[in-house]
């Protein structure tokens, strides 16, 4: 998937998809969050810092489920599960979800207890356009894990 | 059609996107087994949805339209009006009394001398039998009650009557369907007969089946009636929409229902 | 007021981890939309907090931002300890609270 830090070479498939949706994404964006500027990478970094401070983030332990293509940015299903025994001594404290290019990158925070048995959640979110979704998990021992995944959004600009 | 679109400037993009995707987008999907959602050549909008959208419809609990169905069920049992009656006072248990009703509407109403859809029938009953106020078209109450009643016919095949007194109205609906209109000079048929499976801008064109209405549309973020969808389509081709409950739309409703004759009632469906 | 739905299994075994599904009707107005006629911004109004209590303890909670979809759906898991009520509380920007309670029936 597209990594913001590296120069990205588009695959043929992606170019074709963009050719068909380019116009639409702009139109759709206006409909969902009119007049609002998208958050850039700095805004996301700031939002993450606000939740977890300067703690280092490791990769792994998070399984993030997202549709490859979301038909409509108003309702994009998202699910995640954190690999954790969820015992009194070792559990997931919180999971924060961020959407990199939404006007406000914060999506939601979920707070768990050992009483959950497993740290698994399904919900639905709004996405202004195709972008990376970032999940940050805080563990009871203070460690933090992070993962991200891209979602392509094709919102209908048609019909009423 | 292309000729009329070209030169309208901003709208040219529509034609480009339309032709680029037409007929290719879902070619592979046609091989899928759509089960009850496909009857011969007929395919409901469900078969044009992504797996994620289908999943929201598949589980009645995950389908947000049921929040409105709950409103409808509460209204079914609520006494209103001067007659001191509820729907249930006469019709008792909706799962028995309303089973099949939603599959055969709209119908010819002798008293009115024209077609009547389910929303209008509900309001007629409220006014005449309950002596209560009619519910506003597109209100959460009327959407809820219509969905609740139609949901009692879930999975029953659409079975509208188009002969006898309904015939002339059916013909009017058919004419509407093929009549080009609006600045874009497009008829319903231009999209839903000529191009199902293709894309118009980012919208996937279905066969335009009505078996799931009223339905929860992700774009609307709430349920809406078939007339809301008709109005949206009309506005999209830059034509003046008719009002909710207009005779023109009720006639069209019959023709569109007949096009999907045999498809299962899906109300409340979930679409993009 | 908002209508809420909750779904839990009819009965669960002690120690079983079961799914809890919730759904509530709410526009989740982002505060970023404009009224098409007046051009004025429609003020933000969302449910910003959800809490689930079971066996006398807060077992799960969530903070929501405007990016949470209208008519919020949320599913999570809880480990069965003993029979009793499970309470749900949604709070919106105006401080309005929607409550819901279901009974958890635990066997064994």
């Amino acid at each position: 998937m597209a990594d913001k830090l590296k120069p990205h070479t588009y695959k043929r498939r992606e170019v074709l998809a963009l050719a068909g949706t380019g116009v639409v994404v702009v139109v759709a964006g206006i409909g969902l969050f009119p007049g609002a500027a998208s958050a850039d990478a700095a805004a996301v970094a700031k939002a993450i810092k606000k939740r977890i401070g300067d703690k280092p983030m490791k990769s792994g332990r998070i399984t993030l489920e997202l549709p490859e293509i979301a038909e409509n940015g108003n309702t994009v299903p998202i699910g995640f599960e954190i690999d954790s025994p969820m015992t009194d001594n070792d559990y997931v404290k919180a999971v924060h979800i961020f959407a990199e290019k939404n006007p406000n990158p914060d999506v939601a925070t979920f707070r768990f207890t050992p009483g959950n048995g497993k740290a698994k959640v399904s919900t639905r979110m709004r996405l202004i356009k195709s972008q990376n979704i970032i999940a940050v998990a805080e563990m009871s021992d203070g460690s933090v894990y992070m993962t991200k995944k891209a979602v392509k959004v094709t919102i209908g600009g048609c019909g009423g | 059609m292309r000729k009329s679109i070209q030169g309208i400037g901003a709208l040219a993009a529509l034609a480009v996107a339309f032709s680029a995707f037409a007929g290719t987008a879902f070619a592979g999907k046609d091989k899928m087994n759509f089960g009850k959602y496909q009857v011969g050549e007929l395919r409901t909008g469900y078969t044009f949805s992504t797996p994620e959208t289908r999943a929201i419809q598949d589980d009645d609990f995950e389908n947000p339209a049921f929040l409105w169905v709950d409103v409808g069920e509460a209204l079914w049992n609520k006494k209103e009006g001067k007659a001191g009656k509820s729907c249930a006072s006469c019709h008792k248990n909706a799962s028995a009394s309303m089973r099949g009703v939603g599959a055969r509407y709209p119908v010819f109403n002798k008293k009115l001398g024209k077609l009547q859809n389910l929303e209008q029938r509900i309001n007629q009953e409220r006014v005449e039998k309950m002596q209560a106020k009619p519910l506003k078209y597109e209100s959460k109450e009327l959407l809820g009650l219509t969905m609740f009643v139609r949901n009692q016919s879930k999975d029953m095949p659409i079975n509208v009557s188009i002969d006898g007194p309904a015939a002339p109205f059916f013909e009017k609906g058919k004419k509407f369907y093929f009549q080009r209109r609006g600045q874009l000079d497009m008829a319903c048929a231009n999209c839903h007969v000529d191009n199902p499976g293709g894309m118009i801008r980012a919208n996937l064109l279905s066969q335009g089946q009505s078996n799931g209405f009223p339905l929860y549309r992700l774009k609307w973020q709430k349920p809406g009636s078939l007339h809301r969808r008709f109005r949206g389509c009309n506005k999209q081709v830059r034509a003046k929409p008719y009002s909710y409950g207009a005779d023109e739309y009720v006639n069209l409703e019959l023709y569109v229902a007949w096009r999907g004759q045999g498809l299962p009632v899906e109300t409340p469906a979930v679409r993009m | 007021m908002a209508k809420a739905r909750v779904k839990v299994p009819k009965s669960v075994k002690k120690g079983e981890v079961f799914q809890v599904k919730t759904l509530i009707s709410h526009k989740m107005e982002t505060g970023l939309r404009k009224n098409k006629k007046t051009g004025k911004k429609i003020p933000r109004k969302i449910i910003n907090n959800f809490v689930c209590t079971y066996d006398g303890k807060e077992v799960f909670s969530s903070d929501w931002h405007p990016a949470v979809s209208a008519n919020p759906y949320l599913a999570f898991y809880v480990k069965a300890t003993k029979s009793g009520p499970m309470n749900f509380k949604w709070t919106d920007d105006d401080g309005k609270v929607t409550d819901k309670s279901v009974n958890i029936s635990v066997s064994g």
Side-chain angles (χ1 to χ4, degrees):
Chain A
M1 287 296 159
D3 186 333
K4 278 218 124 185
L5 303 172
K6 280 185 273 180
H8 180 63
T9 321
Y10 283 107
K11 293 188 188 84
R12 187 181 134 74
R13 198 157 39 97
E14 290 177 290
V15 175
L16 287 176
L18 286 172
T21 58
V23 176
V24 172
V25 168
V26 176
V27 172
I30 294 165
L32 190 55
F33 292 114
S38 290
D40 56 11
V44 180
K46 205 175 146 190
I48 295 173
K49 194 176 168 179
K50 199 176 153 191
R51 305 284 162 213
I52 62 149
D54 286 318
K55 285 179 188 159
M57 296 191 285
K58 298 180 231 182
S59 64
R61 294 183 70 170
I62 307 173
T63 308
L64 188 55
E65 265 183 66
L66 290 160
E68 216 175 294
I69 297 170
E71 279 185 306
N72 188 295
N74 284 334
T75 311
V76 183
I78 173 172
F80 63 79
E81 183 166 8
I82 316 299
D83 180 16
S84 164
M86 295 302 276
T87 57
D88 287 347
N89 299 322
D90 184 2
Y91 64 96
V92 181
K93 275 174 74 179
V95 173
H96 311 280
I97 304 294
F98 305 94
E100 208 170 54
K101 289 183 178 169
N102 270 6
N104 170 357
D106 287 304
V107 176
T109 289
F110 305 92
R111 282 187 213 87
F112 299 89
T113 63
N116 289 115
K118 58 177 159 180
K120 185 177 179 182
V121 160
S122 315
T123 186
R124 296 165 189 158
M125 63 182 169
R126 292 168 167 147
L127 298 180
I128 190 168
K129 57 173 137 177
S130 300
Q131 57 182 297
N132 284 320
I133 302 307
I134 299 163
V136 175
E138 289 184 80
M139 306 299 176
S140 56
D141 67 359
S143 62
V144 179
Y145 291 80
M146 189 267 267
T147 196
K148 68 173 162 184
K149 205 170 178 178
V151 189
K152 219 167 265 171
V153 179
T154 54
I155 309 177
C158 255
Chain B
M1 179 197 82
R2 290 293 301 275
K3 228 173 199 171
S4 61
I5 293 176
Q6 281 161 3
I8 307 183
L11 297 171
L14 185 139
V16 172
F18 186 84
S19 52
F21 275 84
T24 60
F26 273 64
K29 255 188 156 184
D30 287 332
K31 293 186 192 98
M32 275 176 67
N33 175 15
F34 291 117
K36 66 182 181 184
Y37 300 104
Q38 176 159 22
V39 177
E41 294 282 294
L42 302 178
R43 279 168 52 186
T44 84
Y46 180 93
T47 71
F48 292 90
S49 299
T50 60
E52 291 79 17
T53 306
R54 296 205 295 263
I56 298 175
Q57 181 178 327
D58 287 343
D59 182 334
D60 279 0
F61 189 86
E62 294 186 22
N63 182 349
F66 275 88
L67 290 162
W68 278 256
V69 175
D70 284 352
V71 170
E73 185 171 13
L75 272 174
W76 177 267
N77 294 302
K78 188 181 171 193
K79 286 189 174 118
E80 283 183 275
K82 286 181 197 141
K85 287 181 188 169
S86 68
C87 306
S89 306
C90 298
H91 298 288
K92 314 288 179 208
N93 189 346
S95 64
S97 63
M98 291 296 117
R99 181 117 182 104
V101 172
R104 57 184 177 82
Y105 267 73
V107 298
F108 178 79
N109 184 298
K110 223 177 186 176
K111 197 170 160 188
L112 297 173
K114 60 182 184 179
L115 296 183
Q116 183 181 51
N117 69 12
L118 196 51
E119 285 89 340
Q120 292 165 334
R121 178 61 186 218
I122 288 168
N123 270 336
Q124 188 191 8
E125 297 279 309
R126 281 180 64 88
V127 172
E128 292 181 3
K129 307 275 172 56
M130 293 164 64
Q131 294 172 45
K133 276 189 186 152
L135 300 169
K136 216 178 141 211
Y137 222 101
E138 223 57 19
S139 64
K140 108 176 154 235
E141 289 79 13
L142 188 55
L143 282 170
L145 201 45
T146 306
M147 283 193 286
F148 172 71
V149 169
R150 204 152 192 243
N151 182 245
Q152 308 307 322
S153 306
K154 185 142 186 225
D155 291 337
M156 290 179 77
I158 296 288
N159 184 25
V160 289
S161 169
I162 61 163
D163 45 22
F169 301 97
F170 173 81
E171 287 305 321
K172 281 182 191 170
K174 184 178 178 180
K175 205 175 153 197
F176 188 109
Y177 196 84
F178 288 94
Q179 177 75 53
R180 289 173 180 275
R181 65 192 67 242
Q183 251 183 309
L184 295 193
D185 196 30
M186 285 169 82
C188 310
N190 289 132
C191 286
H192 298 293
V193 176
D194 303 343
N195 276 297
M199 303 288 282
I200 182 157
R201 280 159 70 177
N203 263 17
L204 180 63
L205 285 170
S206 69
Q207 293 177 354
Q209 300 294 357
S210 61
N211 60 311
F213 279 90
L215 54 75
Y216 191 92
R217 202 166 169 221
L218 304 184
K219 181 191 159 78
W220 296 334
Q221 305 183 69
K222 68 188 286 270
S225 68
L226 183 57
H227 288 201
R228 178 170 181 187
R229 195 67 189 89
F230 285 163
R231 285 169 58 85
C233 284
N234 279 173
K235 285 184 212 165
Q236 209 52 45
V237 298
R238 309 287 189 271
K240 195 170 181 279
Y242 291 88
S243 55
Y244 288 103
D247 291 346
E248 286 84 354
Y249 281 166
V250 180
N251 295 338
L252 180 62
E253 205 177 326
L254 179 63
Y255 177 70
V256 171
W258 174 80
R259 288 177 54 84
Q261 191 88 303
L263 285 175
V265 172
E266 275 178 53
T267 307
V270 178
R271 301 286 186 262
M272 67 178 277
Chain C
M1 194 53 227
K3 279 191 87 81
R5 307 182 106 209
V6 170
K7 191 180 178 186
V8 293
K10 279 205 178 82
S11 73
V12 285
K13 288 201 178 85
K14 191 175 174 167
E16 187 182 332
V17 175
F18 61 94
Q19 193 182 34
V20 179
K21 292 180 175 184
T22 70
L23 189 66
I24 184 162
S25 71
H26 200 285
K27 272 190 172 176
M28 297 294 281
E29 193 61 59
T30 61
L32 298 166
R33 287 197 318 140
K34 274 182 187 164
N35 182 314
K36 276 181 198 160
K37 281 171 195 156
T38 64
K40 277 190 186 154
K41 267 197 179 171
I42 303 168
R44 174 186 135 149
K45 192 179 172 183
I46 66 167
I47 293 172
N48 59 46
N49 184 254
F50 167 81
V51 178
C52 170
T53 314
Y54 169 58
D55 196 2
K57 288 191 291 265
E58 187 175 306
V59 70
F60 178 84
S61 72
S62 186
D63 294 329
W64 296 348
H65 298 279
V68 169
S69 299
N71 307 311
Y73 169 77
L74 178 64
F76 56 96
Y77 289 81
V78 175
K79 195 173 183 176
T81 50
K82 61 179 183 190
S83 295
M86 183 178 267
N87 299 305
F88 305 87
K89 200 173 94 175
W90 293 261
T91 309
D92 78 5
D93 285 343
D94 294 344
K96 235 187 253 172
V97 172
T98 302
D99 279 306
K100 183 106 185 165
S101 186
V102 295
N103 191 57
I104 305 296
S105 162
V106 180
S107 64

